[in-house]
Amino acid sequence: MRAGLWGLGALASAALGALAVLILQVGSGLLPPLLVGAVISFLAFLVWPWSVLPAGILGGYLAAGALASHNLAVIVIIHAGIVLTGALAILVRRLLSPDSERRFKTVADIPMLVLAAVIVAGACYGLARGNEPYEVVVATYQLAVIPGYFFLATYSLGTVRRLRLAGTIFILGTVGLATAALPGLGGHVSLFSAMILPTLLVIVSTVGTWMRAAIVAAVVVLVIDIMLAGYRAVWLASAVALAIILLRGSARLRRGVVTALGISALVILGSAAFSTEIQRQSTFLTEKLASSPGYRGPEASVGLSVFFDSPFAGQGLGQTTPDVYLPTFQVTDVGPVYHVFWVGILANLGLVGVLALAWPLAVAVIAGLRARRDHSTAMTALTCGFVIAATFAGPTDGHWDLGLMPALILLMSQVGANRNTTPAKEVPPCSSNPRTETARPPDWVPLPSWSRTTRPTTSPRA
């Protein structure tokens, strides 16, 4: 186990070193602020390991907006650097105190490891076929973020307390960013808004009146942010998630969803009646919705042609078709990143890649639907929405949500189930306090190896 941890540490250190080399190539002027940020992040993650993902998602977005200036390489460096720094901090915590940092094991661990192996094999295959090394790195990063975010979540969010802390930070940060976007003070964060909307809809049906009013107000802000952002893939993901929640959620959850969305619709319609800015934006969104996909269709046809030529394993990560005419772009190279995510996988990894990614997603979705808990249902619905929306989108920073969402499904369903079925703590027979006989041990106490049916018949002290 120690050897495996040292291996992971060496891998994370090598990845950070590669990022440092890339930073020097992009511009040495960025090195001082990025190094200072890395040191501060590393120290913070050592103290609060649950903050890695909120910092990587929200903090990466803010840092990229401040330093990147639409430079894609810098954006990737910032996001990957924060995540890798967090992984290194968690590894250091495990090496210093192995008993205090135990990863929560899930039923999707093996499928995700298989996916990681397929990605490594696809990168080697691409290099062997003569694909450009830079394109191989770009394509590998696009897919490696999926198992990367999955395992980082299961390492850093393995208790109910950590889930709540990370969720609270992410919700507050996203609502704040979405609120700033309403008067035009900031950019829309529709992807983040869509990620927390189902969770808030679950919470709104379980809290008191005043807290419910605050959450409904936050839901209204998120819905407006999602609508005004004009990101069709997020619209589709949100619509699919809401439809599944209404079909599979409890009666209480369905009532909360209908009430919150009804209030949101009334607020949006009322605001549109008095705000010329919202009217102008609504007209723009209507035109955008009716517009053609432009270059996406021809680009997808190129990727499918590549897949039909090599259906089993594709043409390796980094596959690129040079000198293709596309509307808007004129003559350009197509690949390895496609704006249709699944087409990109077919062209780069073929059926092997699609099956390798579909396996952990299917395992997580099935587990979430079987859990029959509102939080698990909400995360499962959102995962299905993102899987379908990936047909129409291929973000430059990768579909990391396809790694994070399955992890959250399994953590919410399995951590909650284990907590609800924790055996009662053993007490001496002479105890007269009825509360101590049903006391529940803290989340960090290791569970005994016996279950309720295999509990010894005699007292451990007998």
Side-chain angles (χ1 to χ4, degrees):
M1 184 176 185
R2 284 270 179 175
L5 289 177
W6 280 114
L8 290 174
L11 183 61
S13 301
L16 287 172
L19 281 175
V21 173
L22 187 57
I23 290 171
L24 292 175
Q25 292 180 348
V26 171
S28 58
L30 291 175
L31 188 58
L34 291 180
L35 287 179
V36 172
V39 172
I40 295 175
S41 298
F42 179 77
L43 296 176
F45 297 153
L46 280 178
V47 181
W48 305 298
W50 51 266
S51 65
V52 173
L53 286 174
I57 298 172
L58 296 178
Y61 169 80
L62 294 173
L67 300 174
S69 299
H70 304 291
N71 189 323
L72 179 59
V74 178
I75 293 175
V76 171
I77 288 171
I78 291 173
H79 282 274
I82 294 175
V83 171
L84 288 171
T85 301
L88 194 60
I90 292 175
L91 286 169
V92 170
R93 285 178 60 94
R94 285 175 60 86
L95 290 172
L96 295 177
S97 181
D99 294 334
S100 65
E101 292 292 320
R102 296 182 178 179
R103 194 184 77 84
F104 193 87
K105 297 180 180 180
T106 72
V107 294
D109 288 353
I110 292 178
M112 276 294 179
L113 287 174
V114 171
L115 174 60
V118 169
I119 293 171
V120 173
C124 296
Y125 180 49
L127 292 173
R129 285 182 60 94
N131 297 341
E132 290 292 332
Y134 174 79
E135 303 294 349
V136 173
V137 172
V138 170
T140 302
Y141 173 80
Q142 283 271 312
L143 296 180
V145 293
I146 296 177
Y149 272 73
F150 176 86
F151 286 111
L152 188 57
T154 56
Y155 268 104
S156 62
L157 303 176
T159 66
V160 174
R161 177 180 175 273
R162 290 188 175 186
L163 277 172
R164 287 176 175 172
L165 289 171
T168 300
I169 296 298
F170 189 73
I171 289 173
L172 293 177
T174 300
V175 173
L177 291 174
T179 304
L182 295 182
L185 299 178
H188 291 286
V189 288
S190 58
L191 176 61
F192 305 157
S193 298
M195 291 179 69
I196 67 171
L197 180 60
T199 299
L200 288 184
L201 292 175
V202 173
I203 297 174
V204 77
S205 60
T206 62
V207 295
T209 304
W210 291 107
M211 183 62 70
R212 185 177 304 170
I215 294 177
V216 169
V219 169
V220 172
V221 171
L222 297 178
V223 172
I224 294 175
D225 181 67
I226 292 171
M227 294 302 298
L228 296 185
Y231 194 177
R232 285 183 283 193
V234 174
W235 290 350
L236 179 59
S238 303
V240 171
L242 293 175
I244 295 176
I245 288 174
L246 291 175
L247 289 174
R248 296 286 300 183
S250 64
R252 183 178 62 181
L253 176 58
R254 290 196 295 268
R255 287 194 299 268
V257 170
V258 172
T259 302
L261 294 183
I263 295 174
S264 300
L266 292 176
V267 172
I268 293 172
L269 292 176
S271 301
F274 298 99
S275 173
T276 57
E277 177 64 22
I278 293 182
Q279 293 174 4
R280 185 191 63 80
Q281 187 73 3
S282 300
T283 303
F284 168 74
L285 295 177
T286 303
E287 295 174 353
K288 183 173 182 179
L289 187 61
S291 63
S292 66
Y295 58 85
R296 295 174 186 268
E299 185 187 58
S301 65
V302 173
L304 290 176
S305 298
V306 174
F307 163 68
F308 291 138
D309 291 339
S310 306
F312 179 70
Q315 294 187 4
L317 289 177
Q319 171 277 328
T320 303
T321 303
D323 301 330
V324 178
Y325 172 79
L326 293 179
T328 305
F329 286 100
Q330 301 303 321
V331 177
T332 185
D333 297 341
V334 176
V337 178
Y338 290 78
H339 289 85
V340 180
F341 179 71
W342 295 106
V343 171
I345 293 182
L346 288 172
N348 284 267
L349 295 177
L351 293 175
V352 173
V354 171
L355 294 176
L357 179 54
W359 186 14
L361 291 175
V363 167
V365 168
I366 292 173
L369 293 176
R370 286 179 175 175
R372 303 297 295 177
R373 300 174 68 240
D374 284 344
H375 280 289
S376 300
T377 300
M379 285 294 104
T380 304
L382 187 58
T383 303
C384 294
F386 281 134
V387 168
I388 296 174
T391 307
F392 305 96
T396 53
D397 56 347
H399 266 294
W400 48 265
D401 48 292
L402 297 183
L404 178 60
M405 291 294 108
L408 293 180
I409 292 174
L410 298 171
L411 288 171
M412 287 183 176
S413 58
Q414 296 184 28
V415 169
N418 285 357
R419 187 186 184 192
N420 293 335
T421 58
T422 301
K425 183 185 292 185
E426 288 290 331
V427 296
C430 61
S431 174
S432 59
N433 187 349
R435 294 191 178 186
T436 59
E437 296 177 359
T438 59
R440 190 185 306 278
D443 293 335
W444 50 266
V445 175
L447 299 182
S449 59
W450 40 259
S451 64
R452 193 176 295 274
T453 57
T454 60
R455 179 178 297 183
T457 56
T458 58
S459 171
R461 298 185 180 183

